[in-house]
Amino acid sequence: MITEQYQIFNHLLATKAQRFWNFVLDSIFVYILILSAGTTLVLIGDTFNNLTLSKWVKHLTPAEIIFYSILIAFLYYFLTEVYFSRTLAKMLTKTIVVKFDGSKPTITAIFYRTASRLIPIDFISYMGAVPSGWHDALSRTYVVNRRDFIKDRTAFKKRKDRYILF
């Protein structure tokens, strides 16, 4: 006799539509953060009469803009998923990031998940049968429907006599 361990199955995974909306909404949130960071730096520079800061932001090269945009996106995904196991878009679509056993992902897993998003064609990986991206596979995490996941995990924990007979 072996006690069963909870695990994620395909019926709990977020749909392709939810994953699409997560991508679109998070892209919008990241864009807003990028604009807000630049605007804030300019306002701080103008408020404290620091023209060097304002000029620096206004004259960023395309390479610097890309670098800071990637940095802000990385921090957005990393921090929200480390602390909440979900981004703002996942909150709206009622999905959450979990490990194969339903537990909260480690900081290392979230780091790999976030770094994998930098793969330029990561979004193409959702075109398969299972709505899972490379950043899910490389970090060994899953995006699941939060309500279904909680219901399923609660039912699993409540079951008596969870044994597999050989």
Short mmCIF file of all heavy atoms in Angstrom, two decimals, residues 70-117:
data_model
loop_
_atom_site.label_atom_id
_atom_site.label_comp_id
_atom_site.label_asym_id
_atom_site.label_seq_id
_atom_site.Cartn_x
_atom_site.Cartn_y
_atom_site.Cartn_z
N ILE A 70 12.84 45.19 -20.39
CA ILE A 70 13.00 43.79 -20.00
C ILE A 70 13.19 43.68 -18.49
O ILE A 70 12.61 42.79 -17.85
CB ILE A 70 14.19 43.15 -20.76
CG1 ILE A 70 13.82 42.98 -22.23
CG2 ILE A 70 14.60 41.82 -20.15
CD1 ILE A 70 14.98 42.56 -23.12
N LEU A 71 13.95 44.59 -17.91
CA LEU A 71 14.16 44.59 -16.46
C LEU A 71 12.84 44.78 -15.72
O LEU A 71 12.54 44.05 -14.76
CB LEU A 71 15.15 45.69 -16.06
CG LEU A 71 15.42 45.83 -14.57
CD1 LEU A 71 16.09 44.59 -14.03
CD2 LEU A 71 16.27 47.07 -14.30
N ILE A 72 12.03 45.73 -16.15
CA ILE A 72 10.74 45.98 -15.50
C ILE A 72 9.81 44.78 -15.67
O ILE A 72 9.14 44.36 -14.72
CB ILE A 72 10.11 47.29 -16.01
CG1 ILE A 72 10.92 48.49 -15.49
CG2 ILE A 72 8.64 47.40 -15.62
CD1 ILE A 72 10.56 49.81 -16.12
N ALA A 73 9.76 44.21 -16.87
CA ALA A 73 8.92 43.03 -17.11
C ALA A 73 9.39 41.86 -16.23
O ALA A 73 8.56 41.17 -15.62
CB ALA A 73 8.96 42.63 -18.58
N PHE A 74 10.70 41.65 -16.16
CA PHE A 74 11.24 40.57 -15.33
C PHE A 74 10.82 40.77 -13.88
O PHE A 74 10.34 39.83 -13.23
CB PHE A 74 12.76 40.52 -15.44
CG PHE A 74 13.37 39.35 -14.72
CD1 PHE A 74 13.59 38.16 -15.39
CD2 PHE A 74 13.72 39.45 -13.39
CE1 PHE A 74 14.15 37.07 -14.73
CE2 PHE A 74 14.27 38.37 -12.71
CZ PHE A 74 14.48 37.18 -13.39
N LEU A 75 11.00 41.98 -13.36
CA LEU A 75 10.63 42.25 -11.97
C LEU A 75 9.13 42.09 -11.72
O LEU A 75 8.72 41.56 -10.69
CB LEU A 75 11.09 43.65 -11.57
CG LEU A 75 12.60 43.83 -11.44
CD1 LEU A 75 12.95 45.30 -11.23
CD2 LEU A 75 13.16 42.96 -10.33
N TYR A 76 8.31 42.52 -12.68
CA TYR A 76 6.86 42.38 -12.56
C TYR A 76 6.48 40.90 -12.41
O TYR A 76 5.79 40.52 -11.46
CB TYR A 76 6.16 42.99 -13.78
CG TYR A 76 4.70 42.64 -13.89
CD1 TYR A 76 3.76 43.25 -13.08
CD2 TYR A 76 4.26 41.68 -14.80
CE1 TYR A 76 2.41 42.93 -13.18
CE2 TYR A 76 2.92 41.35 -14.90
CZ TYR A 76 2.00 41.97 -14.09
OH TYR A 76 0.67 41.64 -14.18
N TYR A 77 6.92 40.08 -13.35
CA TYR A 77 6.56 38.66 -13.31
C TYR A 77 7.17 37.97 -12.09
O TYR A 77 6.49 37.22 -11.39
CB TYR A 77 7.02 37.94 -14.58
CG TYR A 77 6.14 38.21 -15.76
CD1 TYR A 77 6.58 39.01 -16.81
CD2 TYR A 77 4.86 37.66 -15.85
CE1 TYR A 77 5.77 39.25 -17.91
CE2 TYR A 77 4.05 37.90 -16.94
CZ TYR A 77 4.51 38.69 -17.97
OH TYR A 77 3.71 38.94 -19.05
N PHE A 78 8.43 38.21 -11.85
CA PHE A 78 9.12 37.54 -10.75
C PHE A 78 8.50 37.88 -9.40
O PHE A 78 8.15 36.99 -8.62
CB PHE A 78 10.61 37.89 -10.75
CG PHE A 78 11.40 37.18 -9.69
CD1 PHE A 78 11.71 35.84 -9.82
CD2 PHE A 78 11.82 37.86 -8.56
CE1 PHE A 78 12.43 35.18 -8.84
CE2 PHE A 78 12.55 37.21 -7.58
CZ PHE A 78 12.86 35.86 -7.71
N LEU A 79 8.34 39.16 -9.11
CA LEU A 79 7.83 39.57 -7.80
C LEU A 79 6.38 39.16 -7.58
O LEU A 79 6.03 38.68 -6.49
CB LEU A 79 8.01 41.07 -7.61
CG LEU A 79 9.47 41.54 -7.52
CD1 LEU A 79 9.54 43.06 -7.49
CD2 LEU A 79 10.18 40.92 -6.33
N THR A 80 5.52 39.34 -8.58
CA THR A 80 4.12 38.99 -8.38
C THR A 80 3.94 37.48 -8.22
O THR A 80 3.14 37.03 -7.40
CB THR A 80 3.21 39.50 -9.52
OG1 THR A 80 3.68 38.99 -10.77
CG2 THR A 80 3.15 41.02 -9.54
N GLU A 81 4.72 36.69 -8.99
CA GLU A 81 4.56 35.24 -8.87
C GLU A 81 5.26 34.67 -7.64
O GLU A 81 4.80 33.69 -7.07
CB GLU A 81 5.01 34.54 -10.16
CG GLU A 81 4.03 34.81 -11.28
CD GLU A 81 4.31 34.06 -12.57
OE1 GLU A 81 5.41 33.48 -12.72
OE2 GLU A 81 3.42 34.06 -13.44
N VAL A 82 6.33 35.29 -7.17
CA VAL A 82 6.96 34.84 -5.93
C VAL A 82 6.04 35.11 -4.74
O VAL A 82 5.83 34.24 -3.89
CB VAL A 82 8.33 35.54 -5.70
CG1 VAL A 82 8.78 35.44 -4.24
CG2 VAL A 82 9.39 34.93 -6.61
N TYR A 83 5.46 36.29 -4.68
CA TYR A 83 4.66 36.66 -3.52
C TYR A 83 3.21 36.18 -3.58
O TYR A 83 2.63 35.85 -2.53
CB TYR A 83 4.70 38.17 -3.29
CG TYR A 83 6.04 38.62 -2.79
CD1 TYR A 83 6.90 39.34 -3.60
CD2 TYR A 83 6.47 38.30 -1.50
CE1 TYR A 83 8.15 39.73 -3.15
CE2 TYR A 83 7.72 38.69 -1.05
CZ TYR A 83 8.54 39.40 -1.87
OH TYR A 83 9.79 39.78 -1.42
N PHE A 84 2.62 36.13 -4.76
CA PHE A 84 1.20 35.80 -4.87
C PHE A 84 0.90 34.55 -5.69
O PHE A 84 -0.25 34.16 -5.79
CB PHE A 84 0.43 36.99 -5.49
CG PHE A 84 0.70 38.29 -4.80
CD1 PHE A 84 1.37 39.31 -5.46
CD2 PHE A 84 0.29 38.50 -3.49
CE1 PHE A 84 1.63 40.51 -4.82
CE2 PHE A 84 0.54 39.70 -2.85
CZ PHE A 84 1.22 40.71 -3.52
N SER A 85 1.90 33.97 -6.32
CA SER A 85 1.74 32.84 -7.25
C SER A 85 0.85 33.21 -8.43
O SER A 85 0.27 32.34 -9.07
CB SER A 85 1.16 31.60 -6.54
OG SER A 85 2.07 31.09 -5.62
N ARG A 86 0.73 34.48 -8.69
CA ARG A 86 -0.09 34.94 -9.81
C ARG A 86 0.22 36.39 -10.11
O ARG A 86 0.62 37.15 -9.24
CB ARG A 86 -1.57 34.76 -9.50
CG ARG A 86 -2.01 35.39 -8.22
CD ARG A 86 -3.22 34.80 -7.56
NE ARG A 86 -4.31 34.56 -8.44
CZ ARG A 86 -5.58 34.59 -8.07
NH1 ARG A 86 -5.90 34.89 -6.84
NH2 ARG A 86 -6.52 34.33 -8.93
N THR A 87 0.05 36.74 -11.38
CA THR A 87 0.22 38.13 -11.81
C THR A 87 -1.14 38.82 -11.72
O THR A 87 -2.15 38.18 -11.41
CB THR A 87 0.73 38.18 -13.25
OG1 THR A 87 -0.24 37.56 -14.10
CG2 THR A 87 2.08 37.51 -13.40
N LEU A 88 -1.18 40.10 -12.04
CA LEU A 88 -2.46 40.81 -12.03
C LEU A 88 -3.43 40.20 -13.03
O LEU A 88 -4.62 40.07 -12.75
CB LEU A 88 -2.23 42.30 -12.36
CG LEU A 88 -1.45 43.08 -11.31
CD1 LEU A 88 -1.16 44.49 -11.81
CD2 LEU A 88 -2.19 43.13 -9.99
N ALA A 89 -2.93 39.81 -14.20
CA ALA A 89 -3.80 39.18 -15.21
C ALA A 89 -4.35 37.85 -14.70
O ALA A 89 -5.53 37.54 -14.90
CB ALA A 89 -3.06 38.98 -16.52
N LYS A 90 -3.51 37.08 -14.02
CA LYS A 90 -3.98 35.80 -13.48
C LYS A 90 -5.04 36.03 -12.40
O LYS A 90 -5.94 35.20 -12.24
CB LYS A 90 -2.81 34.98 -12.95
CG LYS A 90 -1.95 34.39 -14.05
CD LYS A 90 -0.78 33.60 -13.48
CE LYS A 90 0.17 33.17 -14.56
NZ LYS A 90 0.92 34.28 -15.17
N MET A 91 -4.93 37.12 -11.68
CA MET A 91 -5.98 37.43 -10.71
C MET A 91 -7.31 37.69 -11.42
O MET A 91 -8.36 37.23 -10.98
CB MET A 91 -5.58 38.65 -9.87
CG MET A 91 -4.47 38.37 -8.91
SD MET A 91 -4.03 39.85 -7.99
CE MET A 91 -2.49 39.33 -7.23
N LEU A 92 -7.25 38.39 -12.55
CA LEU A 92 -8.46 38.69 -13.30
C LEU A 92 -9.05 37.46 -13.98
O LEU A 92 -10.27 37.34 -14.09
CB LEU A 92 -8.18 39.77 -14.35
CG LEU A 92 -7.85 41.16 -13.79
CD1 LEU A 92 -7.42 42.10 -14.91
CD2 LEU A 92 -9.04 41.73 -13.04
N THR A 93 -8.19 36.56 -14.45
CA THR A 93 -8.68 35.35 -15.13
C THR A 93 -8.89 34.19 -14.16
O THR A 93 -9.23 33.07 -14.58
CB THR A 93 -7.72 34.90 -16.25
OG1 THR A 93 -6.45 34.59 -15.68
CG2 THR A 93 -7.59 35.96 -17.33
N LYS A 94 -8.65 34.45 -12.87
CA LYS A 94 -8.85 33.45 -11.82
C LYS A 94 -8.01 32.20 -12.03
O LYS A 94 -8.49 31.07 -11.92
CB LYS A 94 -10.34 33.11 -11.68
CG LYS A 94 -11.19 34.30 -11.27
CD LYS A 94 -12.66 33.95 -11.26
CE LYS A 94 -13.55 35.05 -10.81
NZ LYS A 94 -13.29 36.38 -11.14
N THR A 95 -6.73 32.43 -12.33
CA THR A 95 -5.78 31.33 -12.48
C THR A 95 -4.62 31.54 -11.51
O THR A 95 -4.45 32.64 -10.97
CB THR A 95 -5.25 31.23 -13.92
OG1 THR A 95 -4.67 32.48 -14.31
CG2 THR A 95 -6.36 30.86 -14.89
N ILE A 96 -3.85 30.49 -11.31
CA ILE A 96 -2.75 30.55 -10.35
C ILE A 96 -1.63 29.61 -10.81
O ILE A 96 -1.89 28.63 -11.50
CB ILE A 96 -3.24 30.17 -8.93
CG1 ILE A 96 -2.19 30.47 -7.87
CG2 ILE A 96 -3.72 28.74 -8.86
CD1 ILE A 96 -2.74 30.42 -6.45
N VAL A 97 -0.40 29.92 -10.41
CA VAL A 97 0.77 29.10 -10.75
C VAL A 97 1.04 28.14 -9.60
O VAL A 97 1.12 28.56 -8.44
CB VAL A 97 2.02 29.97 -11.01
CG1 VAL A 97 3.22 29.11 -11.32
CG2 VAL A 97 1.76 30.97 -12.11
N VAL A 98 1.19 26.84 -9.93
CA VAL A 98 1.48 25.83 -8.92
C VAL A 98 2.51 24.84 -9.46
O VAL A 98 2.77 24.78 -10.66
CB VAL A 98 0.22 25.05 -8.49
CG1 VAL A 98 -0.78 25.96 -7.79
CG2 VAL A 98 -0.42 24.34 -9.67
N LYS A 99 3.09 24.04 -8.56
CA LYS A 99 3.98 22.95 -8.95
C LYS A 99 3.12 21.72 -9.26
O LYS A 99 1.91 21.71 -9.02
CB LYS A 99 4.97 22.64 -7.83
CG LYS A 99 5.99 23.74 -7.64
CD LYS A 99 7.05 23.51 -6.58
CE LYS A 99 7.10 22.23 -5.87
NZ LYS A 99 8.12 22.16 -4.83
N PHE A 100 3.75 20.66 -9.74
CA PHE A 100 3.04 19.44 -10.13
C PHE A 100 2.22 18.83 -9.00
O PHE A 100 1.22 18.17 -9.23
CB PHE A 100 4.03 18.38 -10.65
CG PHE A 100 4.92 17.82 -9.57
CD1 PHE A 100 4.59 16.66 -8.92
CD2 PHE A 100 6.08 18.48 -9.21
CE1 PHE A 100 5.40 16.14 -7.91
CE2 PHE A 100 6.90 17.98 -8.22
CZ PHE A 100 6.56 16.80 -7.56
N ASP A 101 2.62 19.07 -7.75
CA ASP A 101 1.92 18.51 -6.60
C ASP A 101 0.93 19.50 -5.97
O ASP A 101 0.38 19.25 -4.91
CB ASP A 101 2.91 18.02 -5.54
CG ASP A 101 3.78 19.13 -4.98
OD1 ASP A 101 3.67 20.29 -5.44
OD2 ASP A 101 4.59 18.84 -4.08
N GLY A 102 0.72 20.63 -6.63
CA GLY A 102 -0.23 21.63 -6.15
C GLY A 102 0.35 22.62 -5.16
O GLY A 102 -0.35 23.52 -4.71
N SER A 103 1.62 22.46 -4.82
CA SER A 103 2.22 23.39 -3.86
C SER A 103 2.68 24.66 -4.56
O SER A 103 2.74 24.73 -5.79
CB SER A 103 3.40 22.72 -3.15
OG SER A 103 4.41 22.38 -4.08
N LYS A 104 3.02 25.64 -3.74
CA LYS A 104 3.50 26.92 -4.27
C LYS A 104 4.89 26.73 -4.86
O LYS A 104 5.74 26.09 -4.25
CB LYS A 104 3.54 27.95 -3.14
CG LYS A 104 3.94 29.33 -3.58
CD LYS A 104 3.89 30.33 -2.43
CE LYS A 104 4.33 31.69 -2.92
NZ LYS A 104 4.18 32.71 -1.91
N PRO A 105 5.14 27.28 -6.05
CA PRO A 105 6.47 27.14 -6.65
C PRO A 105 7.56 27.81 -5.80
O PRO A 105 7.32 28.79 -5.12
CB PRO A 105 6.34 27.86 -7.99
CG PRO A 105 4.88 27.90 -8.26
CD PRO A 105 4.21 27.98 -6.93
N THR A 106 8.75 27.25 -5.88
CA THR A 106 9.90 27.82 -5.17
C THR A 106 10.36 29.10 -5.88
O THR A 106 10.01 29.34 -7.04
CB THR A 106 11.06 26.82 -5.13
OG1 THR A 106 11.48 26.58 -6.48
CG2 THR A 106 10.66 25.52 -4.45
N ILE A 107 11.18 29.85 -5.19
CA ILE A 107 11.75 31.06 -5.80
C ILE A 107 12.59 30.68 -7.02
O ILE A 107 12.56 31.37 -8.04
CB ILE A 107 12.58 31.86 -4.77
CG1 ILE A 107 11.64 32.48 -3.72
CG2 ILE A 107 13.42 32.93 -5.44
CD1 ILE A 107 12.35 33.21 -2.60
N THR A 108 13.30 29.58 -6.93
CA THR A 108 14.11 29.11 -8.06
C THR A 108 13.24 28.79 -9.26
O THR A 108 13.55 29.17 -10.39
CB THR A 108 14.94 27.87 -7.65
OG1 THR A 108 15.74 28.20 -6.51
CG2 THR A 108 15.83 27.41 -8.79
N ALA A 109 12.13 28.08 -9.03
CA ALA A 109 11.21 27.75 -10.13
C ALA A 109 10.64 29.01 -10.75
O ALA A 109 10.54 29.11 -11.98
CB ALA A 109 10.09 26.84 -9.62
N ILE A 110 10.28 29.98 -9.93
CA ILE A 110 9.74 31.24 -10.46
C ILE A 110 10.83 32.00 -11.23
O ILE A 110 10.55 32.61 -12.27
CB ILE A 110 9.15 32.12 -9.33
CG1 ILE A 110 7.96 31.43 -8.68
CG2 ILE A 110 8.76 33.49 -9.86
CD1 ILE A 110 6.78 31.16 -9.61
N PHE A 111 12.07 31.93 -10.76
CA PHE A 111 13.16 32.58 -11.48
C PHE A 111 13.30 31.96 -12.88
O PHE A 111 13.39 32.67 -13.88
CB PHE A 111 14.48 32.47 -10.71
CG PHE A 111 15.64 33.05 -11.47
CD1 PHE A 111 15.88 34.42 -11.44
CD2 PHE A 111 16.46 32.25 -12.24
CE1 PHE A 111 16.93 34.98 -12.16
CE2 PHE A 111 17.52 32.79 -12.96
CZ PHE A 111 17.75 34.16 -12.92
N TYR A 112 13.33 30.62 -12.95
CA TYR A 112 13.42 29.95 -14.26
C TYR A 112 12.21 30.27 -15.13
O TYR A 112 12.34 30.48 -16.34
CB TYR A 112 13.53 28.43 -14.09
CG TYR A 112 14.88 27.98 -13.60
CD1 TYR A 112 15.00 27.09 -12.54
CD2 TYR A 112 16.05 28.45 -14.18
CE1 TYR A 112 16.23 26.68 -12.08
CE2 TYR A 112 17.30 28.04 -13.73
CZ TYR A 112 17.38 27.15 -12.68
OH TYR A 112 18.61 26.75 -12.22
N ARG A 113 11.05 30.30 -14.51
CA ARG A 113 9.81 30.62 -15.23
C ARG A 113 9.90 32.02 -15.84
O ARG A 113 9.57 32.24 -17.00
CB ARG A 113 8.63 30.52 -14.25
CG ARG A 113 7.30 30.79 -14.81
CD ARG A 113 6.22 30.58 -13.73
NE ARG A 113 4.96 31.04 -14.24
CZ ARG A 113 4.20 30.35 -15.06
NH1 ARG A 113 4.57 29.15 -15.46
NH2 ARG A 113 3.06 30.85 -15.50
N THR A 114 10.36 32.97 -15.05
CA THR A 114 10.46 34.35 -15.50
C THR A 114 11.55 34.51 -16.55
O THR A 114 11.35 35.17 -17.57
CB THR A 114 10.72 35.28 -14.30
OG1 THR A 114 9.69 35.08 -13.33
CG2 THR A 114 10.72 36.73 -14.72
N ALA A 115 12.70 33.90 -16.33
CA ALA A 115 13.80 34.00 -17.29
C ALA A 115 13.41 33.35 -18.62
O ALA A 115 13.77 33.84 -19.69
CB ALA A 115 15.05 33.34 -16.73
N SER A 116 12.63 32.26 -18.56
CA SER A 116 12.20 31.57 -19.79
C SER A 116 11.27 32.43 -20.64
O SER A 116 11.17 32.22 -21.85
CB SER A 116 11.48 30.26 -19.43
OG SER A 116 12.33 29.41 -18.72
N ARG A 117 10.61 33.37 -20.01
CA ARG A 117 9.74 34.27 -20.77
C ARG A 117 10.54 35.16 -21.73
O ARG A 117 9.98 35.75 -22.64
CB ARG A 117 8.95 35.17 -19.82
CG ARG A 117 7.79 34.48 -19.17
CD ARG A 117 6.96 35.53 -18.44
NE ARG A 117 5.69 34.98 -18.05
CZ ARG A 117 5.41 34.53 -16.84
NH1 ARG A 117 6.32 34.56 -15.90
NH2 ARG A 117 4.22 34.04 -16.57
#
